[in-house]
Amino acid sequence: SPKEPLLGGSAHDSLLEGARQVVDSSVKILMRLSQEFPRKSIAIVGHSLGAGIASLVTILLSSEGAPFAKLMATGKVKCFAFAPPPVFEPLWALPAWVHGCTYSFVYNMDCVPRTC
């Protein structure tokens, strides 16, 4: 699958485009809600392809200079990815904060998270 540069690695280009659309359509409401409820956290959740997009949305919203970078630094942004496909390579290129905020769940020998 075609890749696009992201954070010193590369991301699946179609899923990254989907993640950008999610960010574009939700960032204003998320910003408003985070200001109205400053003690609340943000959970970004997805299953299968949606989990791959959720992982990328988390990166786009929380990277340095992004709208939720400060919330990420305080541990208030989490991603829960259920059976995510591989969307970024190499994994070692991801910053530690991505690993620290992303919870990936894979059932038994599910093939989707193991595809390359």
Side-chain angles (χ1 to χ4, degrees):
S1 65
K3 304 285 185 185
E4 186 172 327
L6 181 70
L7 291 180
S10 60
H12 187 285
D13 67 343
S14 297
L15 293 180
L16 184 57
E17 178 56 33
R20 286 188 178 119
Q21 290 177 15
V22 169
V23 168
D24 290 345
S25 66
S26 64
V27 71
K28 286 181 185 176
I29 185 87
L30 289 172
M31 291 293 291
R32 183 175 62 79
L33 289 171
S34 69
Q35 290 168 354
E36 285 180 32
F37 305 99
R39 290 196 242 166
K40 298 290 183 181
S41 297
I42 295 175
I44 302 166
V45 182
H47 173 259
S48 197
L49 289 177
I53 290 175
S55 300
L56 294 172
V57 166
T58 302
I59 291 169
L60 294 176
L61 284 175
S62 305
S63 302
E64 188 176 328
F68 294 109
K70 288 181 183 175
L71 282 177
M72 175 60 69
T74 61
K76 290 193 171 190
V77 179
K78 303 287 183 198
C79 176
F80 298 94
F82 295 87
V87 295
F88 184 92
E89 63 183 16
L91 287 179
W92 58 261
L94 282 172
W97 64 264
V98 176
H99 293 283
C101 76
T102 305
Y103 300 87
S104 178
F105 301 89
V106 178
Y107 180 73
N108 203 3
M109 295 303 294
D110 186 356
C111 65
V112 171
R114 292 173 171 78
T115 57
C116 294

